[in-house]
Amino acid sequence: MKEKIIKIRDDEEYITLNIALKLADVIQTGGQAKIYLAENKVMVNDESENRRGRKLYPNDAVKTENILIKITK
């Protein structure tokens, strides 16, 4: 499984799931997140997730098909 680490900027408390998917090159644009989440299994901290606006904080982990995305500060 490929692993991507996404660092939240110092002036931000969290990022949203659609932005994390975009930064990890899972989707091309933030607008594709709705379709991607409807058609693919995405887990946030081992719980199924389909909300593109889900807030991700440091130490959260997102799992999708072949990628593990870790959120850091």
Side-chain angles (χ1 to χ4, degrees):
M1 179 174 277
K2 189 175 174 183
E3 187 174 304
K4 285 275 211 174
I5 296 177
I6 295 177
K7 186 174 181 182
I8 298 175
R9 294 186 331 206
D10 290 335
D11 62 336
E12 295 179 329
E13 184 178 340
Y14 63 86
I15 63 170
T16 57
L17 179 56
N18 63 330
I19 295 195
L21 292 172
K22 184 174 182 264
L23 291 173
D25 296 323
V26 175
I27 56 175
Q28 299 292 320
T29 66
Q32 292 176 328
K34 184 177 182 178
I35 296 166
Y36 184 84
L37 292 169
E39 296 176 352
N40 297 279
K41 183 176 183 179
V42 176
M43 306 290 283
V44 176
N45 300 329
D46 294 322
E47 295 179 8
S48 182
E49 186 58 71
N50 63 1
R51 297 174 294 161
R52 63 184 179 190
R54 163 80 185 257
K55 294 177 183 177
L56 302 174
Y57 297 91
N59 301 318
D60 281 348
V62 178
K63 291 180 190 173
T64 184
E65 295 175 7
N66 305 352
I67 298 178
L68 171 63
I69 304 167
K70 293 184 177 179
I71 309 300
T72 65
K73 189 70 173 167

XYZ file of all heavy atoms in Angstrom:
589
model
N 0.848 -1.180 0.000
C 0.000 0.000 0.000
C 0.894 1.244 0.000
O 1.810 1.361 0.790
C -0.915 -0.014 1.225
C -1.808 1.200 1.306
S -3.016 1.136 2.653
C -4.276 0.166 1.895
N 0.606 2.146 -0.905
C 1.340 3.397 -1.009
C 0.948 4.313 0.142
O -0.210 4.347 0.544
C 1.004 4.044 -2.351
C 1.830 5.238 -2.703
C 1.472 5.693 -4.109
C 2.181 6.969 -4.450
N 1.799 7.456 -5.763
N 1.901 5.054 0.667
C 1.623 5.952 1.798
C 1.962 7.386 1.424
O 3.010 7.654 0.849
C 2.452 5.520 3.006
C 2.110 6.268 4.257
C 2.840 5.714 5.464
O 2.703 4.507 5.728
O 3.532 6.486 6.121
N 1.046 8.289 1.736
C 1.250 9.718 1.504
C 1.090 10.431 2.834
O 0.189 10.107 3.610
C 0.195 10.279 0.544
C 0.401 9.916 -0.883
C 1.344 10.896 -1.520
C 1.000 11.058 -2.979
N 1.734 12.049 -3.637
N 1.949 11.395 3.087
C 1.834 12.199 4.296
C 1.475 13.612 3.879
O 2.135 14.207 3.021
C 3.146 12.181 5.099
C 3.420 10.752 5.570
C 3.069 13.145 6.275
C 4.706 10.560 6.300
N 0.415 14.131 4.480
C -0.038 15.480 4.175
C 0.128 16.319 5.436
O -0.378 15.965 6.502
C -1.503 15.488 3.711
C -1.608 14.728 2.398
C -2.012 16.914 3.575
C -2.995 14.604 1.855
N 0.845 17.417 5.292
C 1.103 18.294 6.425
C 0.127 19.467 6.385
O 0.014 20.152 5.371
C 2.541 18.796 6.383
C 2.938 19.591 7.584
C 4.399 19.947 7.567
C 4.726 20.731 8.826
N 6.116 21.150 8.851
N -0.554 19.676 7.498
C -1.468 20.816 7.630
C -0.624 22.061 7.890
O 0.311 22.029 8.698
C -2.468 20.594 8.786
C -3.336 19.372 8.506
C -3.332 21.833 8.991
C -4.260 19.007 9.648
N -0.963 23.143 7.237
C -0.224 24.392 7.452
C -0.359 24.834 8.904
O -1.346 24.541 9.575
C -0.754 25.495 6.543
C -0.502 25.222 5.097
C -0.877 26.359 4.193
N -1.961 27.175 4.694
C -2.772 27.885 3.922
N -2.633 27.862 2.622
N -3.730 28.617 4.451
N 0.637 25.561 9.384
C 0.645 26.005 10.778
C -0.549 26.890 11.132
O -0.996 26.896 12.271
C 1.942 26.752 11.100
C 3.140 25.826 11.130
O 2.954 24.610 11.378
O 4.263 26.309 10.916
N -1.069 27.625 10.161
C -2.186 28.524 10.452
C -3.551 27.837 10.290
O -4.584 28.484 10.424
C -2.113 29.776 9.571
C -2.216 29.455 8.084
O -1.890 28.316 7.692
O -2.616 30.353 7.317
N -3.565 26.550 10.042
C -4.813 25.794 9.901
C -4.918 24.740 10.985
O -3.931 24.146 11.395
C -4.893 25.105 8.538
C -4.972 26.070 7.383
C -5.021 25.363 6.041
O -4.446 24.275 5.907
O -5.636 25.923 5.126
N -6.158 24.507 11.436
C -6.401 23.493 12.465
C -6.686 22.133 11.835
O -6.378 21.094 12.412
C -7.601 23.929 13.311
C -7.906 23.040 14.468
C -9.074 23.538 15.292
O -9.421 24.729 15.225
O -9.660 22.703 16.007
N -7.287 22.133 10.633
C -7.689 20.892 9.956
C -7.732 21.119 8.455
O -7.641 22.249 7.981
C -9.063 20.432 10.452
C -10.168 21.415 10.125
C -10.824 21.367 8.899
C -10.536 22.412 11.023
C -11.812 22.278 8.577
C -11.534 23.316 10.716
C -12.167 23.246 9.497
O -13.143 24.156 9.179
N -7.873 20.017 7.709
C -8.193 20.098 6.284
C -9.394 19.179 6.050
O -9.701 18.331 6.883
C -7.020 19.698 5.363
C -6.632 18.235 5.567
C -5.849 20.619 5.544
C -5.644 17.744 4.524
N -10.045 19.345 4.925
C -11.212 18.505 4.634
C -10.787 17.294 3.804
O -9.732 17.291 3.153
C -12.299 19.306 3.896
O -11.736 19.854 2.705
C -12.861 20.415 4.785
N -11.625 16.283 3.838
C -11.331 15.036 3.142
C -11.131 15.264 1.648
O -10.212 14.710 1.054
C -12.457 14.031 3.386
C -12.324 12.672 2.711
C -11.018 11.992 3.099
C -13.505 11.784 3.071
N -11.955 16.090 1.029
C -11.797 16.310 -0.413
C -10.448 16.945 -0.739
O -9.814 16.587 -1.735
C -12.956 17.113 -1.007
C -13.086 18.509 -0.462
O -12.741 18.788 0.681
N -13.608 19.410 -1.270
N -9.953 17.816 0.100
C -8.647 18.431 -0.139
C -7.530 17.409 0.080
O -6.569 17.361 -0.678
C -8.463 19.667 0.757
C -9.480 20.705 0.328
C -7.028 20.179 0.704
C -9.313 22.091 0.774
N -7.677 16.563 1.091
C -6.668 15.522 1.336
C -6.595 14.567 0.151
O -5.505 14.188 -0.280
C -6.996 14.766 2.618
N -7.740 14.178 -0.393
C -7.755 13.284 -1.556
C -7.088 13.951 -2.763
O -6.371 13.314 -3.521
C -9.182 12.866 -1.898
C -9.872 11.950 -0.889
C -11.344 11.771 -1.267
C -9.176 10.602 -0.790
N -7.317 15.238 -2.920
C -6.713 15.972 -4.029
C -5.200 16.084 -3.836
O -4.425 15.838 -4.765
C -7.336 17.360 -4.152
C -6.836 18.146 -5.331
C -7.592 19.452 -5.472
C -7.125 20.194 -6.677
N -6.120 21.186 -6.417
N -4.754 16.431 -2.637
C -3.320 16.571 -2.369
C -2.579 15.241 -2.500
O -1.399 15.213 -2.833
C -3.102 17.158 -0.981
C -3.515 18.623 -0.806
C -3.402 19.037 0.654
C -2.688 19.535 -1.697
N -3.274 14.143 -2.254
C -2.667 12.817 -2.365
C -2.758 12.271 -3.792
O -2.385 11.127 -4.044
C -3.336 11.856 -1.393
N -3.260 13.078 -4.713
C -3.405 12.698 -6.130
C -4.350 11.520 -6.343
O -4.198 10.769 -7.303
C -2.041 12.401 -6.759
C -1.147 13.622 -6.795
O -1.669 14.724 -7.031
O 0.071 13.475 -6.585
N -5.329 11.378 -5.453
C -6.359 10.344 -5.631
C -7.395 10.855 -6.620
O -7.911 10.109 -7.442
C -7.012 9.988 -4.278
C -8.163 9.020 -4.463
C -5.971 9.411 -3.329
N -7.704 12.148 -6.553
C -8.636 12.796 -7.479
C -7.938 14.007 -8.084
O -6.961 14.509 -7.524
C -9.958 13.208 -6.785
C -9.681 14.126 -5.584
C -10.755 11.992 -6.362
C -10.918 14.673 -4.904
N -8.443 14.473 -9.223
C -7.841 15.614 -9.905
C -8.308 16.953 -9.350
O -7.532 17.882 -9.227
C -8.168 15.553 -11.405
C -7.643 14.323 -12.093
C -6.123 14.323 -12.166
O -5.511 15.339 -12.408
N -5.534 13.157 -11.930
N -9.612 17.040 -9.039
C -10.183 18.287 -8.521
C -11.017 17.986 -7.292
O -11.501 16.863 -7.117
C -11.086 18.974 -9.566
O -12.232 18.157 -9.802
C -10.351 19.224 -10.869
N -11.212 18.990 -6.450
C -12.031 18.819 -5.252
C -13.461 18.428 -5.591
O -14.114 17.722 -4.837
N -13.951 18.879 -6.744
C -15.314 18.564 -7.157
C -15.532 17.095 -7.472
O -16.660 16.602 -7.445
N -14.475 16.361 -7.765
C -14.595 14.937 -8.055
C -14.769 14.093 -6.792
O -15.077 12.913 -6.868
C -13.350 14.444 -8.800
C -13.216 15.002 -10.187
C -11.919 14.552 -10.843
O -10.916 14.354 -10.181
N -11.952 14.412 -12.164
N -14.599 14.704 -5.633
C -14.658 13.958 -4.378
C -16.020 13.304 -4.160
O -16.089 12.156 -3.723
C -14.339 14.880 -3.200
N -17.083 14.010 -4.476
C -18.434 13.466 -4.264
C -18.616 12.157 -5.037
O -19.094 11.154 -4.496
C -19.480 14.496 -4.691
C -20.892 14.088 -4.424
C -21.854 15.203 -4.800
C -23.278 14.828 -4.487
N -24.204 15.914 -4.813
N -18.216 12.159 -6.286
C -18.340 10.959 -7.124
C -17.406 9.870 -6.618
O -17.802 8.709 -6.491
C -18.027 11.303 -8.593
C -19.058 12.292 -9.127
C -17.954 10.051 -9.449
C -18.673 12.957 -10.418
N -16.171 10.240 -6.306
C -15.200 9.256 -5.829
C -15.690 8.575 -4.553
O -15.619 7.356 -4.421
C -13.847 9.926 -5.586
C -12.790 8.926 -5.182
C -12.097 8.207 -6.143
C -12.517 8.673 -3.838
C -11.152 7.263 -5.783
C -11.569 7.737 -3.466
C -10.899 7.033 -4.443
O -9.971 6.097 -4.087
N -16.202 9.363 -3.612
C -16.673 8.806 -2.343
C -17.903 7.919 -2.533
O -18.106 6.972 -1.783
C -16.958 9.916 -1.343
C -15.711 10.668 -0.856
C -16.101 11.911 -0.082
C -14.828 9.766 -0.025
N -18.718 8.213 -3.533
C -19.902 7.392 -3.799
C -19.527 6.052 -4.431
O -20.214 5.046 -4.223
C -20.867 8.148 -4.713
N -18.430 6.022 -5.179
C -18.060 4.819 -5.925
C -16.944 3.985 -5.287
O -16.696 2.870 -5.722
C -17.627 5.215 -7.341
C -18.746 5.839 -8.157
C -18.284 6.312 -9.523
O -17.059 6.306 -9.805
O -19.153 6.706 -10.313
N -16.283 4.525 -4.267
C -15.132 3.836 -3.666
C -15.255 3.796 -2.150
O -15.836 4.692 -1.546
C -13.830 4.558 -4.042
C -13.586 4.536 -5.532
O -13.112 3.555 -6.068
N -13.943 5.613 -6.201
N -14.670 2.764 -1.573
C -14.665 2.634 -0.126
C -13.530 3.489 0.435
O -12.374 3.324 0.062
C -14.467 1.177 0.278
C -14.525 0.949 1.759
C -14.423 -0.526 2.080
C -14.543 -0.753 3.567
N -14.482 -2.185 3.893
N -13.882 4.422 1.321
C -12.901 5.287 1.968
C -13.100 5.164 3.466
O -14.217 5.273 3.966
C -13.065 6.758 1.511
C -12.115 7.662 2.262
C -12.845 6.882 0.015
N -12.007 4.932 4.173
C -12.052 4.786 5.626
C -11.250 5.917 6.263
O -10.142 6.210 5.832
C -11.440 3.453 6.051
C -12.030 2.239 5.369
S -13.690 1.870 5.892
C -13.370 1.111 7.454
N -11.836 6.551 7.274
C -11.128 7.552 8.067
C -11.039 7.003 9.475
O -12.073 6.751 10.107
C -11.847 8.914 8.049
C -11.139 9.899 8.971
C -11.914 9.467 6.636
N -9.828 6.781 9.937
C -9.603 6.189 11.262
C -10.411 4.902 11.424
O -11.073 4.686 12.433
C -9.933 7.183 12.365
C -9.072 8.427 12.277
O -7.933 8.369 11.846
N -9.619 9.560 12.656
N -10.370 4.053 10.401
C -11.029 2.739 10.370
C -12.559 2.799 10.423
O -13.212 1.825 10.767
C -10.493 1.840 11.491
C -9.036 1.500 11.276
O -8.646 1.297 10.108
O -8.287 1.446 12.260
N -13.145 3.940 10.081
C -14.603 4.080 9.973
C -14.937 4.508 8.550
O -14.303 5.406 8.003
C -15.129 5.125 10.965
C -14.940 4.748 12.414
C -15.446 5.826 13.366
O -16.084 6.795 12.903
O -15.180 5.710 14.566
N -15.957 3.891 7.978
C -16.374 4.230 6.619
C -16.804 5.696 6.560
O -17.473 6.197 7.470
C -17.537 3.325 6.205
O -17.915 3.618 4.889
N -16.392 6.379 5.494
C -16.700 7.807 5.378
C -17.117 8.144 3.951
O -16.518 7.670 2.996
C -15.472 8.629 5.757
C -15.711 10.114 5.804
C -16.804 10.518 6.764
O -16.604 10.425 7.981
O -17.877 10.922 6.279
N -18.180 8.956 3.813
C -18.617 9.394 2.488
C -18.879 10.899 2.429
O -19.413 11.393 1.451
C -19.853 8.616 2.035
C -21.042 8.846 2.933
O -20.967 9.602 3.899
N -22.145 8.191 2.636
N -18.502 11.626 3.481
C -18.690 13.086 3.500
C -17.404 13.761 3.036
O -16.380 13.661 3.684
C -19.024 13.565 4.921
C -20.329 13.015 5.449
C -20.514 13.399 6.891
N -19.481 12.721 7.695
C -19.118 13.091 8.914
N -19.671 14.135 9.488
N -18.190 12.423 9.574
N -17.482 14.460 1.919
C -16.279 15.098 1.376
C -15.786 16.236 2.251
O -14.622 16.593 2.218
C -16.532 15.593 -0.043
C -17.598 16.650 -0.125
C -17.881 17.032 -1.537
N -18.939 18.031 -1.541
C -19.545 18.434 -2.608
N -19.197 17.943 -3.767
N -20.489 19.326 -2.543
N -16.645 16.798 3.082
C -16.262 17.898 3.965
C -15.787 17.442 5.331
O -15.554 18.272 6.206
N -15.608 16.150 5.525
C -15.148 15.617 6.818
C -13.842 16.300 7.210
O -12.905 16.372 6.419
C -14.949 14.104 6.709
C -14.120 13.454 7.793
C -14.929 13.218 9.049
N -14.120 12.715 10.128
C -14.077 11.439 10.536
N -14.835 10.547 9.942
N -13.323 11.080 11.526
N -13.792 16.828 8.415
C -12.594 17.504 8.890
C -11.554 16.472 9.327
O -11.864 15.555 10.076
C -12.933 18.424 10.058
C -13.827 19.574 9.658
C -14.216 20.419 10.842
C -15.162 21.526 10.415
N -15.616 22.325 11.559
N -10.339 16.658 8.865
C -9.231 15.778 9.210
C -8.221 16.568 10.033
O -7.803 17.652 9.634
C -8.563 15.238 7.954
C -9.470 14.456 7.001
C -8.715 14.115 5.727
C -9.998 13.201 7.675
N -7.850 16.008 11.158
C -6.928 16.644 12.086
C -5.614 15.864 12.118
O -5.555 14.722 11.663
C -7.554 16.688 13.486
C -8.804 17.528 13.547
C -10.059 16.958 13.335
C -8.732 18.885 13.796
C -11.213 17.734 13.378
C -9.883 19.672 13.850
C -11.112 19.086 13.633
O -12.246 19.856 13.669
N -4.550 16.454 12.696
C -3.289 15.714 12.808
C -3.515 14.352 13.467
O -4.338 14.212 14.370
C -2.424 16.621 13.692
C -2.948 17.999 13.390
C -4.430 17.821 13.213
N -2.814 13.359 12.976
C -2.867 11.959 13.418
C -4.046 11.176 12.843
O -4.194 10.000 13.144
C -2.836 11.825 14.947
C -1.587 12.434 15.535
O -0.496 12.262 14.989
N -1.728 13.166 16.619
N -4.893 11.802 12.026
C -5.950 11.063 11.338
C -5.330 10.278 10.189
O -4.299 10.671 9.638
C -7.029 11.996 10.786
C -8.007 12.473 11.844
O -8.000 11.919 12.957
O -8.781 13.400 11.552
N -5.970 9.168 9.840
C -5.504 8.337 8.728
C -6.670 8.044 7.801
O -7.757 7.705 8.247
C -4.916 7.031 9.255
N -6.435 8.195 6.512
C -7.443 7.935 5.489
C -6.939 6.768 4.645
O -5.821 6.798 4.147
C -7.648 9.170 4.582
C -8.662 8.874 3.489
C -8.057 10.379 5.405
N -7.777 5.745 4.502
C -7.421 4.593 3.672
C -8.391 4.520 2.511
O -9.600 4.612 2.685
C -7.511 3.293 4.465
C -6.477 3.149 5.534
C -6.641 1.836 6.251
C -5.772 1.779 7.487
N -6.043 0.586 8.286
N -7.826 4.351 1.331
C -8.615 4.112 0.137
C -7.902 3.015 -0.642
O -6.870 2.529 -0.188
C -8.816 5.417 -0.658
O -9.658 5.170 -1.754
C -7.533 6.026 -1.102
N -8.416 2.620 -1.753
C -7.930 1.463 -2.505
C -6.473 1.096 -2.263
O -6.177 0.095 -1.656
C -8.167 1.678 -3.992
C -9.618 1.742 -4.351
C -9.825 2.066 -5.811
O -8.847 2.114 -6.578
O -10.981 2.247 -6.184
N -5.550 1.900 -2.745
C -4.132 1.552 -2.668
C -3.323 2.547 -1.861
O -2.106 2.476 -1.840
C -3.514 1.480 -4.056
C -4.254 0.531 -4.952
O -5.131 -0.191 -4.515
N -3.896 0.519 -6.212
N -3.990 3.514 -1.237
C -3.252 4.606 -0.594
C -3.663 4.765 0.868
O -4.843 4.717 1.203
C -3.486 5.940 -1.345
C -2.969 5.816 -2.778
C -2.830 7.089 -0.640
C -3.181 7.053 -3.617
N -2.659 4.995 1.699
C -2.871 5.367 3.096
C -2.397 6.801 3.206
O -1.238 7.113 2.907
C -2.076 4.460 4.034
C -2.039 4.871 5.494
C -3.451 4.845 6.090
C -1.120 3.973 6.285
N -3.298 7.692 3.623
C -2.970 9.106 3.753
C -2.901 9.426 5.244
O -3.871 9.208 5.968
C -4.030 9.997 3.081
C -4.210 9.615 1.614
C -3.673 11.454 3.235
C -5.440 10.213 0.961
N -1.758 9.930 5.687
C -1.593 10.318 7.083
C -1.532 11.827 7.175
O -0.822 12.483 6.408
C -0.319 9.711 7.669
C -0.384 8.201 7.787
C 0.847 7.663 8.457
C 0.746 6.160 8.631
N 1.952 5.623 9.266
N -2.284 12.368 8.129
C -2.348 13.811 8.323
C -1.413 14.186 9.479
O -1.485 13.587 10.550
C -3.785 14.270 8.646
C -4.793 13.722 7.616
C -3.867 15.791 8.733
C -4.555 14.126 6.186
N -0.546 15.165 9.252
C 0.375 15.629 10.287
C 0.311 17.146 10.401
O -0.272 17.812 9.548
C 1.836 15.214 9.991
O 2.270 15.864 8.800
C 1.965 13.714 9.854
N 0.922 17.678 11.403
C 0.967 19.140 11.608
C 2.305 19.649 11.167
O 3.312 19.039 11.259
C 0.717 19.471 13.080
C 0.531 20.931 13.347
C -0.777 21.410 12.794
C -0.999 22.852 13.235
N -2.048 23.492 12.542
